Amino acid sequence: MTRTTSAVARALERIGRLDPALHAFIEVWPDEALAREREAVARRLPLDGLPFAVKGPSGIRSFAARRLIAAGGSPVGATSVPGPGTHWQTWGLGAHGRTVNPWRADRTPGGSSAGSAVAVATGMAELATGSDGAGSVRIPAAWCGVFGLKTTNGLLPSPDRSGLASAGVLARSAAAAEPYLRHVLGGGGGPDVAPALPLPLSPPVPLSLPLPAVYSEDLGFAEVDPEVAAVVRAAVDRLVAAGTVRLLGCDAALLDPVGAWTAVRGGSPDDPEAVRVRRTNDERLDALLAGGALLLTPVTPNRPHGHEGPGDLYSTALTWAFNLSGHPAASLPAGFTGDGCPVGIQLAAARGADVRLLAAARAVEDALPAAPVPPAAGRAAG
């Protein structure tokens, strides 16, 4: 492997060429990344210098980043998150400006793992770390047309005292996310190491198709853009026709978690109404997901909004229920609205079933059309 043909060198070249327009990074570490790659190759570490990005200024110190580096990954830089004073629902702020959606520059990529999603979508990193307290991995994954996974709450260390945020990963596909689960969730000793899961993931966990699944357009309370709903419903129909999923004759009618999420985030987890909503939704989700069933929904009720913000609409309406309940959930590309905006389909599974969820996501991915390259990356590459 040489400096000019290595995976890290290619990633750095794309960062230099694309990021001045996309603003996905707040810092880039070319010398360190190339040095780590050379060391990984020389030591024959399993990730062989795989270039990855970390979320935000503290991302390099995260548990996931440390595990990936130990396995031979090469962090190329830190990605954008919402800037000071920016409303948490909105966008990222890169080193030289607001982070833009690689499909439509007039739209946000989502947040808060904004730059991580853009970096992965445009090939500036092969995978990226993220964290998800209300949908912060799944929403940008959906709006940038990539794969995003929120792990089971509590499975990995989190600095979030509320317990709502969980570590996650963004990658071009579910298959490309496997190194994260293999090396970050695989156990391996030390006081801060997560519990071991049934890894390695190669070959993937065997599944028996069709997978039992429940589809809900709105989880019983959300107002969903009809075109977004139609894109996801068409993807579900395709999965049924392909024999990938078998829809069960039940519905997911949850209570709107907005008040409960706000109470927990605000330090009042014992608020009586919050306790009631969480208990009710936990019982309903546990019943739905029993026996290995999946829950399928749109990731967001809306398409990517403009850089001025979402207004009164909660882009998190369909994601934050799983931060309260702790279930793992993933976003996969489902298609596009007529104005060229990516739409994501959300898969949720039982707590602790992260490995099985990834295997299910791979099966779903195989049955749906491959996600194309975003225009921003395609034009620059040409």
Side-chain angles (χ1 to χ4, degrees), residues 50-302:
L50 178 139
F52 71 95
V54 299
K55 177 185 177 179
S58 62
I60 193 65
R61 300 191 298 273
S62 69
F63 177 87
R66 289 185 283 120
R67 290 300 298 266
L68 291 171
I69 291 169
S74 298
V76 295
T79 58
S80 65
V81 293
T86 303
H87 198 280
W88 66 269
Q89 292 186 54
T90 51
W91 50 79
L93 185 65
H96 304 291
R98 67 190 183 194
T99 310
V100 303
N101 192 300
W103 292 94
R104 285 193 51 162
D106 64 333
R107 305 295 176 94
T108 174
S112 61
S113 304
S116 287
V118 175
V120 165
T122 55
M124 293 189 282
E126 294 193 21
L127 60 80
T129 65
S131 58
D132 190 315
S136 293
V137 164
R138 289 162 288 162
I139 292 170
W143 287 357
C144 291
V146 299
F147 174 79
L149 171 70
K150 178 198 85 70
T151 57
T152 297
N153 290 50
L155 185 64
L156 293 171
S158 171
D160 178 31
R161 294 181 180 179
S162 73
L164 293 171
S166 183
V169 61
L170 298 102
R172 281 288 296 166
S173 65
E178 283 194 0
Y180 180 95
L181 265 74
R182 183 181 303 119
H183 297 289
V184 176
L185 298 188
D192 62 347
V193 171
L197 290 178
L199 302 176
L201 295 177
S202 183
V205 177
L207 294 174
S208 177
L209 301 181
L211 302 170
V214 175
Y215 172 65
S216 176
E217 176 183 304
D218 57 9
L219 289 178
F221 58 83
E223 295 184 11
V224 181
D225 178 328
E227 193 172 358
V228 169
V231 170
V232 176
R233 180 72 225 199
V236 171
D237 290 344
R238 186 179 184 116
L239 295 174
V240 172
T244 304
V245 304
R246 171 177 56 86
L247 294 182
L248 303 176
C250 52
D251 190 23
L254 304 184
L255 302 180
D256 189 343
V258 57
W261 189 96
T262 303
V264 173
R265 185 66 171 177
S268 301
D270 296 327
D271 173 82
E273 181 61 11
V275 170
R276 183 186 73 85
V277 169
R278 294 187 78 177
R279 181 183 297 119
T280 300
N281 284 352
D282 283 356
E283 292 173 353
R284 293 178 183 180
L285 285 169
D286 288 344
L288 285 171
L289 299 172
L294 298 172
L295 175 56
L296 311 177
T297 77
V299 175
T300 64
N302 53 327

